[in-house]
Amino acid sequence: MTSKSSQPDTGPTLAGKQSTAGQHRPLYAWRHFKDLMARYGIAVGGVSVIVTIVLIFFYLLYEITPLFTPSSTEFEARYSLAGHAKDTTALLYVEEQTEIALRVSRGGKITFFDSRTGKLIKETGVDVPTDTFITGIGRSDPEQRLVAFGLSDGRAILVRHDYQVTYQENRRQIHPEINYPLGKEPIQVDRQGAPLIQLDVETSDDETTLVALTDDGRLIVQGLSRAESLMGDEDEIELEKIGSQIAAGINPAAWLRLDKSQQTLYVIAPDGELSAYDVQDKSETLLLQQLKLSEPGEHITAAEFLTGGISLLVGTNKGQISQWFPVRDKDNAVHLTKIRTFDGHSAAILAIEPEQQRKGFAVAYADGYFGLFYTTSERRILLQQVSPTSVKTLAMAPRANALLLEDAGGELQLYKVDNEHPEISWSSIWGEVWYESYPEPDYTWQSSSADNDFEPKYSLVPLAFGTLKAAFYAMLFAMPLAIMGAVYTAYFMAPRMRNVVKPAIEIMEALPTVILGFLAGLWLAPLIERNLPGVFSMLLILPVGVIAFAWMWGHLPAAVRHRMPEGWQALVLLPVIALLVWGSLAMSPLLEQGLFGGNMPGWLSSHLGLDFDQRNSVVVGVAMGFAVIPTIFSIAEDALFSVPKQLTYGSLALGATPWQTMMRVVLLTASPGIFSAVMMGMGRAVGETMIVLMATGNTPIMDMNIFEGMRTLSANIAVEMPEAEVSSTHYRILFLAAMVLFLFTFIFNTFAELIRQRLRRKYSSL
C-alpha cells in the first residue's frame, strides 16, 4: 500500500485552478470595464466633435439664410380721400413711423391723413397771393421734406412739412405741421414775371438753391441765404439773393434735377437730351456736358436722383431704367457716365421713388405694376401688379418698410414691404461693383459709412485675398525652416541634443499669439523698416555664409573636426548664424545710403511704384511663421523619426550615403506625414487672428505687394462683430465670412487628406 507522501505531485488541483481564476476575475472585469469605457468614451467624443461641427455649420447657415430670402409685400389698406378726385396729386409722402401720410395736390392743397385708414388728420393750403395761382411744383431730397410752389407771376413759395413726436401716457403721438423756412412772402425768381412750370430745390444749413423753368423756356437759378433781420424781429426774414438766367429755349416739359450739394444741375428733355450745368456760382453758371440718355425710339418718362444726389436714375417709355453718375477720367475731367441698366418690365415708367437710407428705389409702371430695385446688387427685388390701371404716384417710407401707391382712378393703396437685405447678391459679394464716386468697378470692403449718402460695401473678395496672402507669406517663411529643421533633428542630430531641441520648439506653440502680434507690431515692424536693406541682404548672406562655413569646416584637419561629436555640429553653426544676422543688420545703413539714397521705402515708391506700409506682409510672414513653425516641425519630425530603422540600415548597407538615404528613402516614406504637417500649418495660418490684427495695417486691399498689409476673414470678424447691429446686413455678412472660412478650411483639409492617403498608398511598400 502506497502512502500519500509517496504519490507524485501532478500540479494544482481543479479546485486550486478555480480558486486562482476566482481571484483574477475582478481584475479581468475591471480591465474589461475600462476597455469598454475607453471604447465608448472615444466614440462619444468623436461623434460629439462631428455633431458640434455640424451644429456650427447649421447655425451659420441659419444666420446667413435671411440675406438671400426673397423680398415680399403685404397688402394693408385701400381707400380714397375725400375730395381727392377734384385735383390731381403732385406729391405723396409717408413719415418714418408709417402712421401719417401727406398728399400735395397740383392746386396747392396739403392733406395729412392716416396712412392705414385714409382718415383725414389735417388739411391746409399754401398762402398764395391774390390774383396768382400755382403753375408748378417741385421738391427737394425727400429727407429735407421741402416743397417749392411756382406761381403764375414768376414767384415761388417754399414749404416744409414736419412731424413732431410727443408721448402722452406712454403713447406716441405724431403732430404734422407746415412751416415756411424762408418766410411766407413769395420769392421773386423771374424778374420778367413769367409763370414757373418746372421747379427743383435743395437746401443746407446756410444756403438754399432754387431752379425754375418758365413757360417760355427760360432756365433760371436763384441762390438764397438767410440773413438776420436788422430790426431783430424773429418773424421777419431777410434773404440775400444771387441768381441768373442759365439758358433759353428749353423744352417746358424738361425735368430739372439739382444735386444735393447744390453744385450741378441736370436738365433732361423728353427726347433724352441732357445738359449739365455747374451752378456752384449762382451769378455765373457753366455748361459742363451734353449727352444723349436714351436709345433711338425711346423717350424719357421719369428722372430722379438716387439718395445722396450723386446718381441719376432715368426711366423710359419702354420700361428701361439706367443709372448715371459722374466719373473722373485719367485727365481728372468729370463725365456723366452710364453705369448699369435695369430691364425690369416692358411698360412705360411713370414715376421713380428712391429710398431715403439705401441705394434702392421703387418704380411705377403704366400697366399697374410696381417694382423694387437695388443699384449696387444690380437686381430687381420685386415686381407686382397692384392695379388694373396705371400706377401714377408712389411714396416710399423713410425706412423702406412701407409703400403708398396711387392709381389712375385716384385710389390709394398701402403695402408693408419686407426687404431687409437688398444690397446683397452673389455679384455684389464676389464680383466687381462700380460704386458711386469710384473711377471704375472694384472689389471693396467698407462696412460703415459717414451717412446715408454713401452705402456700405460688402465684397468678401479682399478679405479672402488677404487671408490667402497672409497664409502664403507665413508658409513661405515657415515651411523651409520647419521641414529642414525636422529633417536635421530626426535624422542627423544626436539623441541627447534632440531631446532638448524638440521639446523647446514644441513649447513655442504654447506661446499666446497675442504676444507674437504685440511684438510684431511694436518691435519687429519698426526694426524691419529701419533695416530694410539688411533684411533683404540677409536672404543672400545667410545661405552663402552657411555654405561657406560648411566648406571651411570640411577642410579643417580631421583632428579638429573629430573633436566635435557626431550630431552636435549645429552648436558650432549657431554663433555663425548669429554673426551673419548681426553683420547684415549692421551694414544696412551703408547699403541704404549707397544704393537707395538713404531712404529705401521712398526709393521703392519713386522707382518701382511700390507703396510701403510699416506693418506689411513681411512682418506678417515672419511673425505668423514663428507661430506656424512648431506645428509643422513637430508633426514632420515625428513622421521622419518614425520611419522604420531597417529601411535606413538597408539603404546604407547597399552603399547609399546618409544624404541619399534621407532623400530617396526616409523623405518618401515620411511624405504623408510631412504633407499632413504642412496642411496643419496651413490651417493654422488661415485661421490666425491676433497676429494679423496687430501686425498689419488691417486694410482690406487687394495687392500682392509684400510691403502692403491686408485684412483677413478671421481678423475682420474679430474687429467688426462687436460693433455690428444684431440681425443687420453687416451682422449677417460677418457670419457669411465665417461660413466662407469654415468651408474653405473644410474643403482644403478634405482635399489634403485625399492627397495624403494617396501618398500613403504609394509609398507604403517601401
Side-chain angles (χ1 to χ4, degrees), residues 135-139 148-151 155-157 189 196-201 210-213 256-257:
T135 55
I137 297 177
R139 70 169 186 178
F149 294 88
L151 304 180
R155 293 187 293 174
I157 299 175
V189 178
L196 308 179
I197 59 174
Q198 300 288 349
L199 297 98
D200 199 12
V201 62
L210 178 67
V211 293
L213 181 63
L256 306 183
R257 294 296 179 257

Side-chain angles (χ1 to χ4, degrees), residues 8 123 206 272 295 300 342 344 388 441 481 682 684 742:
E123 190 171 73
D206 55 356
E295 300 293 334
I300 306 300
F342 304 88
L481 294 179
M682 185 70 177
R684 171 73 185 276
F742 181 90

Side-chain angles (χ1 to χ4, degrees), residues 97 165-173 175:
Q97 305 301 329
V165 180
T166 61
Y167 289 88
Q168 295 181 0
E169 298 180 355
N170 294 327
R171 295 185 62 183
R172 181 180 61 218
Q173 294 186 353
H175 307 279

